[in-house]
Amino acid sequence: MNKKAVRTGVACGIFLGITIIAYAITSLFFTKSETSKLSKRTVFQFDLSTDMAATEVGPGDCFDVKPVIYNDATEEMYVFIQVDMPTAAHEALYSYDVDDEWCVVSEDDGTVVYAYGSTEMTILAPGDSTSALTNQMTMKSISNAEYAAIDDINITITGYAMGTEDMSTYPVNAWNECKTIGNIQ
């Protein structure tokens, strides 16, 4: 029985020794980490698409045009679309229906500026798009003589954007602030 007790004692000793060694190995653990000091870059840009195709247009003809602004920035923005077109008999050459989400903020001799928002500016969040300003334009029914006198029947659609922080939410005031910031005449 003495040998059995010795074996049991040796087995307990070995087990205790292994436990102590395992504890010593695990308690001798070390780790270290560092965190970067990066800051986010501000990206402020948008995409303007119009879906205009090259086509022949004469008096009374229609063509598709769907001006949409997509916020491809990291910040919220207020947006505007300016439509420049030739005039005939002191009137804009083209007529079109405007989506209810847009409102006129400036109009002068063939140039009309629209704000995205009806009574208050609508915030365009990153990744969002506006509704199309219009879907179609129609050249007014003018005489062929008036039509022949127009050198350039093309329209130009320009998009503008500005940040929303500390800006007016009233569309006309917001457009005036945008003109000041962008030095737009």
Side-chain angles (χ1 to χ4, degrees), residues 3 85 90 100 123 149 170:
K3 283 186 176 189
M85 68 179 76
H90 303 292
D100 291 340
I123 292 174
Y170 181 67

Side-chain angles (χ1 to χ4, degrees), residues 2 23 170 176:
N2 212 356
Y23 175 77
Y170 181 67
N176 289 330

